[in-house]
């Protein structure tokens, strides 16, 4: 893969990660209206609540994902996801 192919893989990975994360959050039930009933997110919330004696821990995985689903990702979170996606895109150049 040449330089142009590597650049395309890096940019493509960054875009897919940054754009895909909010889509995936909504698809699994972390929505702007709250956690969707009967969704994967609802199952996660139920499991977390049972494990923690009836409540979801502030700052825990479910709470952070719900915050991102409700309000969107912060600039820093979007940048981090784009960086991770770019790294994955770069790594694909080594797959044969």
């Amino acid at each position: 893969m040449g330089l142009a192919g590597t650049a395309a893989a890096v940019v493509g990975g960054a875009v897919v990660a940054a754009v895909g994360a909010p889509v995936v959050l909504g698809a699994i039930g972390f929505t702007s209206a709250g956690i969707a009933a009967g969704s994967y997110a609802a199952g996660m919330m139920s499991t977390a609540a049972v494990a923690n004696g009836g409540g979801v821990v502030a700052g825990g995985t479910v709470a952070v994902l719900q915050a991102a689903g409700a309000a969107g990702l912060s600039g820093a979170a979007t940048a981090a996801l784009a960086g991770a996606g770019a790294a994955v895109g770069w790594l694909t150049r080594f797959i044969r």
Side-chain angles (χ1 to χ4, degrees), residues 6-39:
T6 300
V10 168
V11 170
V15 169
V16 167
V19 173
V23 172
V24 170
L25 284 173
I28 63 172
F30 293 105
T31 70
S32 60
I35 292 179
S39 67

